[in-house]
Amino acid sequence: MSPILLEKKNNIAFIHLNRPEKLNSFNREMALLLQKVLDNCARDKTIRCIYLTGNGKAFCAGQDLGELTEENAPGFDKILSEHYNPIVTRIGNIEKPVVCAVNGVAAGAGANIALCCDIVVASTSASFIQAFSKIGLIPDSGGTYFLPRLIGLQKASAFMMLGDKVSAEEAERIGMIYKIFPDEIFAEESLKITITLAQMPTRGLALTKQALNATFNNSLEQQLQAEDKLQYAAAHTQDYKEGVKAFLEKRSPQFKGE
Ligand code: LHQ
């Protein structure tokens, strides 16, 4: 079985991490394949939203620790630069929303890949673990960038140093993730969000993402200028024209993602 499954349906790309017996932990093959699949989704104009989740009981347990001791194991000179960093960069740059549906435990790089997605939802039984400290490593895959920005430095430091298991409920309460849903309705509810996004003005959402990506590195003045430029681009999309026309005609808009 392929470690990454890709299915495209109704303008949505469903990406499943698929090494359930290893809690979907990443080996080199899976990390490289995820990059290819993200590139494929980036190029495919019919895809207007990406849904990332895990098969089985876990979302992702981070690096496959077994792989590290194998003969010809990828070294530390390669693991971040060739595996995780390109995944995080791709998710940030892809011009469509990425919904991460955390269906179970998300540990190590698995937790931080979830947190770099645009909208993160979790099932009530899911959890987030900055597992790195337990094995003498530092948090990676953008964790030291995203987590303090999401929940503040104090809680991020504690979670990262102690390696606490953070319940989905707590993650939602402190703003680490968007929403949680009970396990029984998690698939259905997370899909609803994805379907909504796939029918929205895709270019506008991509430009929103661009503005948000820039915000933490900008002064207010720089961010206002960025909004000005991006709004100009949004105002020249077909979907903007359709949105205003539909409003004035008192009907639902039919966005095409253009
Ligand atoms: C696993 C794993 C796993 C292999 C569960 N690997 N088999 C960057 C730079 C360079 C190198 C290193 O990595 C990184 C990035 C990172 O991600 S570092 C952090 C790596 N991840 C971890 O340290 C987490 C390790 N896993 C765990 O702590 C637990 O498995 C969690 C808390 C995720 C889940 O606990 P349980 O639900 O109790 O499941 P389990 O521990 O019983 O695991 C089930 C199976 O999955 C088990 O195999 P077995 O054959 O005994 O059934 C585990 O060995 C296997 N597994 N994580 N990362």
Side-chain angles (χ1 to χ4, degrees), residues 21 23 25 57 61-65 76 79 109 129 132 137 140:
E21 69 293 348
L23 303 191
S25 57
K57 69 171 189 166
Q63 170 66 36
D64 181 335
L65 297 175
F76 273 71
I79 291 184
I129 311 174
F132 310 87
L137 290 179
D140 57 33

Side-chain angles (χ1 to χ4, degrees), residues 187-207:
E188 187 187 331
E189 292 298 320
S190 54
L191 185 59
K192 271 191 208 163
I193 293 173
T194 311
I195 291 170
T196 300
L197 289 165
Q199 294 172 352
M200 288 180 69
T202 314
R203 289 294 310 141
L205 297 185
L207 294 163

Side-chain angles (χ1 to χ4, degrees), residues 217-233:
N217 301 321
N218 277 347
S219 65
L220 173 61
E221 194 48 46
Q222 287 168 323
Q223 193 65 11
L224 289 173
Q225 279 171 23
E227 286 178 1
D228 193 352
K229 215 173 98 202
L230 295 166
Q231 192 68 293
Y232 187 82

Side-chain angles (χ1 to χ4, degrees), residues 53-74:
T53 194
N55 266 354
K57 69 171 189 166
F59 171 67
C60 173
Q63 170 66 36
D64 181 335
L65 297 175
E67 184 187 51
L68 297 178
T69 56
E70 284 170 10
E71 217 176 307
N72 300 323

